[in-house]
Amino acid sequence: MRLLFVHGIAQGGKDEKELAETWRETLVEGLGKHNVTLPADTTIDFPYYGDILDDYVRRSTLPMPEDVISKGPGENRKFENFLQLAVEEMSEKAGISDEEVEAQLEPGQVREKGIQNWEWVQGIVKAIDQRFTGAVDFTMKKFLKEVFVYLDWNKARKAVEDTVVKMITDEPTVVIGHSLGSVVSYRVLAEHADKMDLRGYVTIGSPLGIKAISTKLALLGMLEQPSKNGWYNAYDERDIVALNALDGKYFPVDPAVENFNGVKNKTKHRHGIIGYLNDKSVAGRIHRYMS
């Protein structure tokens, strides 16, 4: 049996082997809650694209809200529109209040509400970070930049996906995608699942339910179950990246994804892989797919 781990954002500059071992050890911890462990013959593959994506992001020079405030809109209309839509959707779903946003505004900044006001957008981004992320390596700016570059730049998307495609085999495989890795793995499986003996698909902390992302990927034209053996999506409702279930309302795939919203991710920003793979239900489903 083979596990194919597809990592998410903010992994640039990290050691690939150490990351893979963290995933393995954390899953083993979760399996221990069922008094089982990984079979001795389990193979783990960890396609690492963190440095590749980081390189494209560095070259992108995407304008963040403070840049639009100082220089005016129009530097990159596509990204500006994506940024407005994503921030609005995430803030509404998370229940970010006007008071939280206003608390982030500088003295004298225009208080006009709405995503057409870039001072307000900047305030939302800061409010989300203050309430949800709380980590230097995981901020809304970093998340939105990495996601957009992957979504919009064909060369970046191909380079990222090629790291996963190169590891596709005909061995019995369970695919686990975390964060942006759920988007990457979904796109790869949509094209290549027929080349695999795919025993199950697991997504954790997935942003696929964010409309600004799913529509940008044109996923609505290819929404189908990538695994005949099932798709299990688990998330913590406090995870800002995974606020929406992959259900018929936010992700109308057929057959439907099985959603589990009971994860209590103990990492600081509720999004870390350690807080997902050691969850009893997540580990149990992976084990079931492997059996």
Side-chain angles (χ1 to χ4, degrees), residues 7 41 70 87 93 112 128 130-131 133 143 149 168 265 276:
H7 71 77
D41 61 350
S70 63
V87 166
K93 181 65 177 180
E112 182 181 348
I128 289 174
Q130 184 172 76
R131 195 205 290 187
T133 61
F143 170 71
V149 168
I168 287 179
N265 192 310
Y276 275 117

Side-chain angles (χ1 to χ4, degrees), residues 29-249:
E29 179 185 342
L31 292 172
K33 297 172 182 177
H34 295 273
N35 297 314
V36 298
T37 188
L38 286 176
D41 61 350
T42 302
T43 300
I44 293 177
D45 283 319
F46 191 87
Y48 176 70
Y49 63 82
D51 290 341
I52 294 172
L53 186 55
D54 259 13
D55 182 56
Y56 279 101
V57 171
R58 276 192 297 269
R59 288 186 271 157
S60 68
T61 63
L62 296 173
M64 293 309 294
E66 59 269 27
D67 302 314
V68 182
I69 292 169
S70 63
K71 299 177 182 179
E75 185 177 346
N76 188 322
R77 290 288 190 186
K78 290 171 72 176
F79 178 65
E80 291 167 14
N81 183 60
F82 169 78
L83 183 62
Q84 288 173 314
L85 293 176
V87 166
E88 181 180 43
E89 182 179 356
M90 295 169 82
S91 65
E92 287 181 356
K93 181 65 177 180
I96 298 293
S97 69
D98 291 348
E99 290 74 20
E100 286 178 274
V101 178
E102 288 175 346
Q104 302 301 322
L105 300 180
E106 298 293 334
Q109 277 190 312
V110 179
R111 254 79 177 157
E112 182 181 348
K113 301 172 185 177
I115 61 170
Q116 299 306 314
N117 174 12
W118 281 97
E119 286 86 354
W120 193 258
V121 173
Q122 183 184 39
I124 293 174
V125 171
K126 289 181 178 180
I128 289 174
D129 278 336
Q130 184 172 76
R131 195 205 290 187
F132 288 96
T133 61
V136 174
D137 63 343
F138 175 49
T139 64
M140 276 300 97
K141 289 182 182 180
K142 190 168 188 64
F143 170 71
L144 293 168
K145 279 188 175 183
E146 289 195 15
V147 169
F148 182 82
V149 168
Y150 168 75
L151 294 173
D152 195 67
W153 288 30
N154 291 334
K155 288 184 178 180
R157 186 166 62 249
K158 184 177 187 304
V160 167
E161 291 175 3
D162 281 351
T163 65
V164 182
V165 172
K166 284 190 298 186
M167 294 190 175
I168 287 179
T169 74
D170 60 0
E171 302 169 75
T173 302
V174 178
V175 176
I176 300 99
H178 171 237
S179 186
L180 178 59
S182 67
V183 185
V184 175
S185 57
Y186 176 70
R187 282 187 50 86
V188 169
L189 291 178
E191 296 292 331
H192 301 281
D194 60 341
K195 303 179 181 68
M196 306 174 65
D197 181 1
L198 185 59
R199 298 300 176 90
Y201 182 38
V202 177
T203 50
I204 43 184
S206 175
L208 278 167
I210 298 174
K211 290 295 185 181
I213 291 175
S214 61
T215 54
K216 181 69 178 174
L217 275 169
L219 289 175
L220 297 180
M222 54 189 238
L223 284 172
E224 58 183 48
Q225 176 67 274
S227 172
K228 64 184 179 184
N229 294 312
W231 178 351
Y232 183 77
N233 178 64
Y235 62 103
D236 186 323
E237 291 185 326
R238 301 165 300 172
D239 179 354
I240 186 64
V241 171
L243 289 175
N244 292 331
L246 305 188
D247 58 16
K249 179 179 179 181

Side-chain angles (χ1 to χ4, degrees), residues 10-31:
Q11 300 303 297
K14 298 186 178 181
D15 184 277
E16 176 180 351
K17 291 182 179 179
E18 288 182 4
L19 288 173
E21 182 60 16
T22 296
W23 282 54
R24 189 196 70 80
E25 289 179 351
T26 306
L27 176 57
V28 167
E29 179 185 342
L31 292 172

